[in-house]
Amino acid sequence: MARLWVTAVAALLAAAGCSAEEPVADRSPPASSAPAPSSTAPSTTQPAAPTPTPSPTPPPPHPVSLPALMQQDYDGGDLRVGEVLETADAYTRHAVTYRGGGLTISGILNLPAGDGPFPVLILAHGYIDPEVYTTGRGLRREQDYLARQGYAVLHTDYRNHAGSDDDPTNEVRLRLGYTEDVVNAVLAVRSAGLPYLDGERVGLLGRSMGGGVALNTLVVRPGLVDAAVIYASVSSNTVQNFDRWTRGQPGAEELTAEIVEAYGAPETNAAFWRGVSPVTYVDRVTEPVLIHHGTADVTCPIQWAYDTDAALRAAGKDVTLQVYDGEPHAFEARWQASIELTTAFFDQHLAPTSP
């Protein structure tokens, strides 16, 4: 009896034209009273069309994060070289402004004597209280020396400094606006079309807080510059900077509360703090990097340089760490050696391209 039933099912399947891959709506034996289907009647049952499953859309990055800056459109331009502030024997010092992100940012440009075009170095200064800051105040030794070596030196003031426009959200946004200002400074140089600036050869130098700004720039816009030098930098882990200069510091209680309320403390929202730390994204760096740091630096501990160097090396990047025994944060006895090494580094990586 079982063999007869299997034979009957097989005959029904063959008559309906079904294959093993097609869906079968009812696999139970037919009722004895149901008539057998005609072998000549076409099947009117169509297999259900598969419903496509869309790929999940990744959530947008936190608006205060390096990934958000990676996705941002930048419009740096309108570089205006203004009045002469100083005339030295080897260069002239000009006031400059440029535009980006709806803001006007001020700065200075040291322009070497001669016709050019000169390779350009963008300088990102360390922390100076905006209340006392004056245009071009940071990195004066570097500004002077590098201009004498034939580099056009553009020192950005950043937003909220000197003649730049104000951005009242910048502190709570962990000063990420400074990174935007540096990216836009490079773009302004590259798009300026000024005959004495070589927009195809641009390097970046940052010191202390500006070192962190430089690291942010490298991970946000890989390939934007040709090489970068970092002096006595803050940590590439933003939690360490937050703990050293903000959380628990006298006078910073209100700012600390605002930041923690907005994003959570590092202990409760580790994902946010990873997203604002350049060390998280060092795999994106494409430029050669030279790091200078002194062992006697009590502002930015030497361990921070070791950690950043190790992270870049682990990611297979072209990084050189120069350690200066006994040098403090500002560099003293070994500054000349460091700036000569810096110049050689930029000479190597910003050399003119052979025709």
Side-chain angles (χ1 to χ4, degrees):
M1 184 66 181
R3 181 179 299 173
L4 289 174
W5 178 78
V6 171
T7 302
V9 172
L12 286 169
L13 289 173
C18 296
S19 66
E21 289 78 15
E22 292 178 314
V24 178
D26 186 0
R27 295 185 180 274
S28 61
S32 58
S33 60
S38 169
S39 60
T40 60
S43 172
T44 58
T45 303
Q46 297 295 324
T51 302
T53 302
S55 300
T57 302
H62 193 287
V64 178
S65 68
L66 293 174
L69 293 187
M70 294 171 195
Q71 296 183 9
Q72 182 169 311
D73 292 328
Y74 293 90
D75 58 354
D78 194 23
L79 177 64
R80 301 194 175 211
V81 180
E83 65 176 311
V84 174
L85 302 175
E86 177 185 347
T87 301
D89 56 338
Y91 61 87
T92 53
R93 182 178 180 85
H94 297 259
V96 297
T97 60
Y98 61 94
R99 296 277 301 171
L103 300 176
T104 295
I105 307 299
S106 62
I108 65 92
L109 175 68
N110 284 357
L111 192 61
D115 297 328
F118 305 105
V120 183
L121 299 178
I122 307 297
L123 270 55
H125 64 82
Y127 179 78
I128 302 171
D129 185 346
E131 295 296 323
V132 301
Y133 180 90
T134 54
T135 191
R137 180 168 174 176
L139 294 163
R140 289 300 298 264
R141 294 177 299 179
E142 290 81 1
Q143 292 177 36
D144 177 80
Y145 186 90
L146 293 167
R148 293 179 182 277
Q149 309 313 305
Y151 287 94
V153 178
L154 193 160
H155 179 281
T156 176
D157 290 331
Y158 305 138
R159 62 192 62 193
N160 300 334
H161 289 70
S164 300
D165 287 344
D166 290 336
D167 174 7
T169 69
N170 191 57
E171 289 296 310
V172 177
R173 291 181 64 241
L174 303 176
R175 301 177 183 167
L176 288 180
Y178 298 160
T179 300
E180 298 176 61
D181 297 338
V182 167
V183 171
N184 283 321
V186 178
L187 295 177
V189 165
R190 290 197 182 277
S191 65
L194 297 173
Y196 45 81
L197 299 181
D198 188 343
E200 297 302 314
R201 295 188 289 156
V202 182
L204 174 61
L205 184 150
R207 164 179 264 291
S208 193
M209 181 188 72
V213 173
L215 284 170
N216 285 350
T217 302
L218 297 182
V219 303
V220 166
R221 288 296 297 265
L224 179 69
V225 298
D226 300 298
V229 173
I230 296 169
Y231 269 91
S233 178
V234 297
S235 177
S236 55
N237 178 350
T238 301
V239 174
Q240 293 178 321
N241 300 324
F242 179 61
D243 284 341
R244 190 169 186 85
W245 289 294
T246 307
R247 184 162 61 169
Q249 299 304 308
E253 295 86 357
E254 183 176 345
L255 177 59
T256 299
E258 286 187 74
I259 290 171
V260 170
E261 181 179 0
Y263 318 121
E267 299 79 18
T268 59
N269 192 358
F272 168 81
W273 291 90
R274 285 194 298 271
V276 292
S277 297
V279 71
T280 308
Y281 308 103
V282 291
D283 61 304
R284 291 172 53 86
V285 174
T286 58
E287 300 79 4
V289 180
L290 172 61
I291 301 173
H292 300 290
H293 216 108
T295 61
D297 191 333
V298 297
T299 302
C300 296
I302 184 67
Q303 187 60 49
W304 291 355
Y306 290 138
D307 292 344
T308 299
D309 174 67
L312 286 163
R313 288 183 183 278
K317 304 307 175 181
D318 181 355
V319 58
T320 301
L321 172 60
Q322 290 291 326
V323 175
Y324 299 83
D325 189 40
E327 281 298 301
H329 185 62
F331 276 63
E332 294 173 356
R334 302 294 304 283
W335 179 83
Q336 184 64 34
S338 75
I339 198 65
E340 289 177 4
L341 187 59
T342 292
T343 303
F345 177 80
F346 281 133
D347 286 350
Q348 175 187 355
H349 295 292
L350 275 67
T353 302
S354 301

